[in-house]
Amino acid sequence: MNIVSLARFQFAMTTIFHFFFVPFSIGTVFIVAIMESMYVSTGNSLYKKMTKFWGNIFLLSFAVGVVTGLIQEFQFGMNWSDYSRFMGDIFGAPLAFEALLSFFIESTFIGLWVFTWNKVGKGLHLFFIWMVVFGTMTSALWILTANSFMQHPVGFTIKNGRAVMVNFGALLANKQLMFEYGHVIMGALLTGATIFSGLAAFQLLKKRKLSEVNRAIYKKTMRLGLLLMLIFSLGAITMGDLQMRYLVHEQPMKFAATEAVMKTTGKRAPWSVIAFVDPKTHEVKGNIDIPDMLSILSYHKTTGSVKGMEELNKEMKKQYGTKVDGQKMDYYVPVNTLFWSFRFMAGFGTLLALVSIVGLIMTRKGHESLYKHRWCLWIIAILTFAPFIMNTCGWLITELGRQPWTVYGIFTTAQSVSPNVSVASLLTSNIVYFCLFLSLAIILIALIVRYLHNDPEELWMAEDSKNTDPFAKEAF
């Protein structure tokens, strides 16, 4: 147990927990905006009830996401001060845009959207929620602009031992950003669609009798969610394919690790369905291969060699040296973690696509056989948790595959740690953060479960019965 490993664990813990809520918020607010658009265009009050009911789920996720984001930024200053000094000039611009533009838009228009129901025109109110969508989408853009620089540095020069930005446009035109942003956004939208489909399934599984209005709302929610699940799962798979083909050339070590390729393949590269790599001997064990498939996945043709991690490690030692700041360098990445993370991510994405196709067939008008079988509803309900596994696996691939660098090829993780932190302080802060995150998770889950004890129609009637005039006698 040392300072670097503890600092890395803390960064992983805070980022994973925060990243539970980023795609949650982006995906759910987008679908809430679609629901309100359907209400405005059709005038059907069911869509308004859907919007208000599911909109509160988005608000809960957004609130917790803000708190976890603040904690993550706080630990940057605690544990990664040398990294902050090195990268401050690069990170300053996109993070300023994220805080001063995107977050300002999100928070302002969320307030307007929440407190102006029935006080402004339907079109203006719809504009508010789409501005929230715009804020969440651009917020992700600025954060991923910074992360993409860490993966593929562009538009900078080194002055006095620090990275200095010379071309902000190059950061936005970074090819890594194009693929990473597209994949993350598709994954976030898939998250929102899956969550609403799953929660609607949970509501339909209730043992108490549902009114016809509530049942119709949950069925419409599930049908919309399944349709969007299909669209966004296919989009996520497509963007993931483009990103992985890009990594074949830009981060070949990461790509080789996701496929457990230790030795350079021949012209026809097999794809390992299952494999285990001994981290000491680098020997691949228990692998089950499909001939030519890796070439097809990598190059979209049956021929194409893939460099192995052993050869890549030798090349990187020649390029970057066997020592950096006196530290002996080894450029291997945690292959088993990346290999299985990739398969869980891709596997769940494919599963969601297949389930959405079957679900759409079983919920088509005039049949609706899915609602008659509780086991079908349970499958969709349990898949509510699948996007959180997928998103975490994707993050692990992105970040662990970049090791031992914080900024690829320029600045190492060991160089980035604060020089004045101690093992004791890191242990203490890790325990505090873990307890804090555990408490937040328990509170959020409890609030969502408590909220879902209600139904849209009952909440609607309760709200209508309240006097919303703050100066009325009944308010005092």
Side-chain angles (χ1 to χ4, degrees), residues 106 110 157 183:
E106 288 176 77
I110 281 177
T157 187
H183 193 45

Side-chain angles (χ1 to χ4, degrees), residues 42 44-45 56 84 124 148 159 174 176-177 181 191 214 260 264 298 309 314 329 350 375 392 399 420 426 436 474:
T42 65
N44 188 339
S45 64
N56 286 332
S84 299
L124 181 57
S148 294
K159 288 184 180 179
N174 192 342
Q176 171 70 27
L177 174 61
Y181 181 73
T191 298
N214 288 326
T264 301
S298 304
M309 295 177 69
K314 293 176 183 177
M329 297 301 294
T350 304
W375 64 270
T392 300
E399 298 302 296
N420 56 348
L426 277 168
L436 179 59
E474 293 84 353

Side-chain angles (χ1 to χ4, degrees), residues 17-327:
F17 195 80
H18 178 57
F19 201 59
F20 283 160
F21 302 101
V22 172
F24 193 145
S25 299
I26 294 173
T28 52
V29 73
F30 183 85
I31 297 171
V32 167
I34 290 177
M35 290 175 179
E36 187 166 359
S37 298
M38 295 169 75
Y39 162 63
V40 172
S41 63
T42 65
N44 188 339
S45 64
L46 281 180
Y47 291 120
K48 184 176 182 179
K49 294 172 184 177
M50 287 168 60
T51 302
K52 296 190 77 171
F53 184 76
W54 298 116
N56 286 332
I57 299 293
F58 154 68
L59 293 173
L60 286 171
S61 71
F62 181 81
V64 177
V66 171
V67 176
T68 57
L70 291 173
I71 294 171
Q72 186 183 11
E73 291 190 10
F74 182 67
Q75 64 94 38
F76 263 113
M78 289 176 55
N79 301 336
W80 306 99
S81 60
D82 279 356
Y83 168 79
S84 299
R85 292 188 191 95
F86 180 79
M87 278 288 292
D89 191 70
I90 305 293
F91 262 33
L95 292 186
F97 275 115
E98 194 274 334
L100 299 177
L101 176 64
S102 298
F103 185 70
F104 177 78
I105 291 172
E106 288 176 77
S107 53
T108 300
F109 283 97
I110 281 177
L112 289 170
W113 183 75
V114 170
F115 295 110
T116 59
W117 281 102
N118 303 322
K119 293 181 175 64
V120 300
K122 292 191 292 184
L124 181 57
H125 195 267
L126 177 63
F127 171 75
F128 293 158
I129 193 65
W130 279 112
M131 284 301 295
V132 178
V133 173
F134 174 77
T136 60
M137 294 284 190
T138 54
S139 180
L141 174 67
W142 300 123
I143 296 299
L144 292 176
T145 297
N147 184 268
S148 294
F149 179 88
M150 295 163 65
Q151 306 288 338
H152 180 66
V154 293
F156 76 104
T157 187
I158 301 294
K159 288 184 180 179
N160 301 320
R162 297 174 62 246
V164 177
M165 183 170 59
V166 295
N167 186 350
F168 182 66
L171 269 66
L172 294 176
N174 192 342
K175 282 188 176 182
Q176 171 70 27
L177 174 61
M178 298 177 193
F179 297 122
E180 189 172 335
Y181 181 73
H183 193 45
V184 167
I185 290 299
M186 283 294 125
L189 298 178
L190 176 59
T191 298
T194 307
I195 287 173
F196 281 159
S197 295
L199 293 181
F202 274 120
Q203 294 297 86
L204 289 169
L205 285 165
K206 285 181 175 179
K207 291 185 178 180
R208 69 174 184 267
K209 187 177 180 181
L210 293 170
S211 69
E212 288 302 315
V213 173
N214 288 326
R215 186 172 292 277
I217 287 173
Y218 295 139
K219 286 182 178 181
K220 284 182 179 294
T221 300
M222 182 177 292
R223 179 77 179 173
L224 175 62
L226 289 171
L227 176 61
L228 295 177
M229 274 174 63
L230 177 59
I231 295 170
F232 297 138
S233 60
L234 295 177
I237 291 169
T238 301
M239 291 306 304
D241 174 66
L242 292 172
Q243 187 175 13
M244 292 306 290
R245 290 175 63 203
Y246 169 79
L247 292 178
V248 172
H249 306 288
E250 292 299 326
Q251 288 188 6
M253 181 65 83
K254 178 189 290 186
F255 180 81
T258 60
E259 303 299 348
V261 179
M262 300 306 299
K263 299 182 182 296
T264 301
T265 68
K267 289 184 178 181
R268 294 180 177 272
W271 180 68
S272 297
V273 181
I274 297 173
F276 298 93
V277 179
D278 188 322
K280 294 181 179 179
T281 64
H282 300 148
E283 181 183 353
V284 182
K285 301 177 180 178
N287 53 310
I288 300 174
D289 296 340
I290 300 176
D292 302 346
M293 184 56 71
L294 184 54
S295 295
I296 295 171
L297 293 173
S298 304
Y299 307 105
H300 288 188
K301 57 183 182 179
T302 56
T303 58
S305 176
V306 175
K307 281 188 178 180
M309 295 177 69
E310 292 180 359
E311 181 179 344
L312 289 167
N313 187 51
K314 293 176 183 177
E315 290 180 0
M316 294 178 78
K317 283 185 175 180
K318 288 181 181 178
Q319 182 177 359
Y320 302 113
T322 57
K323 287 187 176 182
V324 175
D325 278 2
Q327 296 280 336

Side-chain angles (χ1 to χ4, degrees), residues 397-418:
I397 294 168
T398 300
E399 298 302 296
L400 290 177
R402 190 184 63 235
Q403 293 302 312
W405 310 103
T406 46
V407 184
Y408 197 84
I410 299 172
F411 207 61
T412 67
T413 304
Q415 290 175 307
S416 304
V417 179
S418 299

